[in-house]
Amino acid sequence: MLPSRLLLLLLVVTVVLTLLAEVGDAQRRRRRRRRRRQREGGLGLRREGGVADGRSVRKIRHAKGRRAEFVRRRLANARRRRVEGRVRLVDGRAEWEGNVQIWHAGNWGNICDDEWDEREGEIVCRQLGFPGLKKVTYSGLYGRAKDRYWMDNLFCYGTEKNLTECNFDGWGQHDCEGEEAAGVVCNSHFAATPSTPTLPPRDQPILINKTKLAFILEGKLTLRLVGGRTPQEGRVEVLLPEEDQWGLVCGDGWSLLEAMVVCRQLGYGYAQTAVSTGFFGGNISDVVVSGVKCTGNERLLEHCLHDDLGKVFCPHQEHDANIAGVTCVSKIADLVPDHMELARSAHLEDKQLFFLSCAMEENCLATSAKAAMDSGYGWHLDTRRLLRFTARIINQGDDAFRPFLPKQYWVWHACHMHYHSMEVFAHYDIIDSQGNRVAEGHKASFCLEDNNCLPDVTPFFKCANYGDQGISPGCTDTYAYNIDCQWVDITDLKPGTYTFKLSINPEFKVGEKSFDNNAALCELIYGHQNAWLGNCTLARP
């Protein structure tokens, strides 16, 4: 076809399309004018007491029905949005305190206290309309979890409006017992909001209204284990002075620290597990001691703190009694961090976010890293300053250290290409002179294996190929400084002198001979271009 004919054809098509568009616009204008006249006519008839024709009335009613249905749908969607992720406090003495529950999929569920700290607590109090957070609580302080667990290993940056915006293992995925419910105490509207440190402390809340058992008893407290498969396990029964009848200990808040004292007092060695259950038998009505709290170093249970004695209240579930029990063993692990290797290996590294995708997935960076990523273009060029170090863990006990989770509950990690058997095995913290945490490490998952052993010890545990995990006695598990997340992000830290703290088995979930050597405390001197770590000592997490 000749160019002139093609140009003429295009011109004709353009004119036809323009005419069609103008016709369409004219029709739409006429329809709008007609609807406007009908509305004005209907309004005039109502004002004059007249009646519009049936067709106009039907149109008006149809329009009203559509608007009403639209409003109903919007309100229903809004109600659904408000319900999902709602939180409430239960079993507290007032409306501003209690265990935290969250609404999901039409049911209320609890939140596990793993990784629970003040950032999550602030979000809860903010959601409930309180002016701030007073403190967070652990270990089912307001009673055992009565319903399912919806959230575990919850990690928030503190800027979220709802807990559902935070990172967690997934709805209903958890490894928590009934006594691990997380709670809060919010500031009431009649109290001023206290200032908070830069980062929330990891320590347990201060115990109040507790006294030593020895101060109340007029004599010696006698113990025994009953209902177990061997004499070294069972429910804990106590005989109060001036009583012919044995009583039980409430399992609310019962942990390995209390179990260690029981096993020591009975001469059965070390505490392997501490349970709060009716598995070993017993009647909840026979509970005579509640709220027992020990440091784990007491020689006798009567040297520990308690809430009530005699006829006491012990929260429990209908299908399972909340009775304290223990399992004692003669041999057990004892982990110690190598503080000399920690000091020797510490150094600084600057790295761009582009190379830290796996670290972001495991929350191994500071809050400002997420803000940089959300800022948009050029986020991958943001540089983070990392304090890297090697964590070498020695098992100097006489039995293997094994993860408390069964193998089927281990989590596959695609970045590291192996299964993680413990979600919380170590904490890395930097603390200022006021005792506030100003930076932290978020190494949430670990793979336990025998890296180096004494000459007469054969390595047994290996992470590869879904192998058994643990640390054999006489062996070390080494996390070298070049491993992902083996650092603390100090990008926002000002130069100065601080305390560096590395804590192993910080939540006391696996039994050991002693927890007094599970942390390394070191002096950290941080300059603009270098960092020095030294003067390390061993302590309790």
Side-chain angles (χ1 to χ4, degrees), residues 112-349:
C112 187
D113 61 6
D114 293 343
E115 298 298 310
W116 181 253
D117 59 33
E118 291 188 5
R119 277 173 295 206
E120 292 77 33
E122 284 283 0
I123 297 173
V124 169
C125 293
R126 204 159 54 229
Q127 273 190 259
L128 294 173
F130 292 108
L133 172 74
K134 188 174 182 180
K135 66 176 182 179
V136 291
T137 64
Y138 308 83
S139 303
L141 184 64
Y142 297 99
R144 286 171 60 90
K146 298 181 177 63
D147 301 297
R148 63 181 60 80
Y149 278 105
W150 271 138
M151 288 181 162
D152 187 17
N153 292 304
L154 187 64
F155 176 80
C156 304
Y157 288 98
T159 57
E160 297 84 354
K161 296 181 180 179
N162 192 298
L163 290 181
T164 57
E165 300 175 12
C166 304
N167 297 323
F168 60 102
D169 287 352
W171 293 109
Q173 299 182 20
H174 68 92
D175 55 7
C176 302
E177 303 293 337
E179 64 275 5
E180 295 184 66
V184 295
V185 178
C186 300
N187 287 314
S188 70
H189 292 283
F190 306 101
T193 303
S195 59
T196 55
T198 306
L199 288 175
R202 296 190 190 271
D203 298 332
Q204 297 281 331
I206 298 174
L207 301 175
I208 58 175
N209 300 327
K210 290 182 182 288
T211 56
K212 277 191 176 183
L213 275 166
F215 294 163
I216 306 299
L217 299 173
E218 297 180 357
K220 187 177 180 181
L221 185 71
T222 307
L223 300 182
R224 71 179 182 183
L225 299 183
V226 180
R229 297 161 296 184
T230 66
Q232 287 75 35
E233 71 172 10
R235 65 181 184 270
V236 180
E237 291 194 350
V238 297
L239 183 62
L240 302 179
E242 302 180 359
E243 293 285 342
D244 301 329
Q245 185 176 356
W246 289 86
L248 303 175
V249 178
C250 180
D252 194 26
W254 187 257
S255 70
L256 275 173
L257 299 177
E258 291 74 44
M260 291 171 69
V261 179
V262 171
C263 294
R264 183 181 300 118
Q265 181 172 346
L266 293 174
Y268 289 154
Y270 312 100
Q272 184 181 56
T273 57
V275 297
S276 302
T277 176
F279 177 79
F280 293 124
N283 195 319
I284 194 67
S285 62
D286 295 330
V287 171
V288 295
V289 184
S290 67
V292 178
K293 276 297 172 188
C294 308
T295 65
N297 295 327
E298 293 88 351
R299 189 172 55 87
L300 303 173
L301 192 66
E302 58 204 64
H303 295 162
C304 300
L305 303 178
H306 80 294
D307 285 339
D308 293 309
L309 198 66
K311 188 174 181 61
V312 302
F313 169 72
C314 183
H316 64 282
Q317 297 178 344
E318 294 182 1
H319 63 277
D320 191 13
N322 189 10
I323 299 173
V326 300
T327 300
C328 304
V329 292
S330 58
K331 295 181 178 181
I332 203 167
D334 189 19
L335 299 187
V336 182
D338 186 345
H339 57 283
M340 298 181 66
E341 178 63 21
L342 173 65
R344 186 196 65 80
S345 61
H347 65 280
L348 297 179
E349 180 185 15

Side-chain angles (χ1 to χ4, degrees), residues 16 70 87 89 110 171 176 251 260 276 291 305 398 418 429 434 440 498 516-517:
V16 171
F70 172 76
V87 294
L89 304 181
N110 296 281
W171 293 109
C176 302
M260 291 171 69
S276 302
L305 303 178
D398 45 23
H418 58 229
D429 296 317
Q434 305 299 318
E440 61 184 345
Y498 301 91
D516 291 338
N517 53 9

Side-chain angles (χ1 to χ4, degrees), residues 356-385:
L356 298 173
S357 58
C358 278
M360 284 294 294
E361 179 184 330
E362 286 197 7
N363 306 314
C364 297
L365 300 175
T367 306
S368 58
K370 184 177 184 298
M373 179 173 286
D374 295 340
S375 63
Y377 179 78
W379 65 267
H380 57 288
L381 300 178
D382 183 79
T383 301
R384 312 302 301 177
R385 171 153 288 188

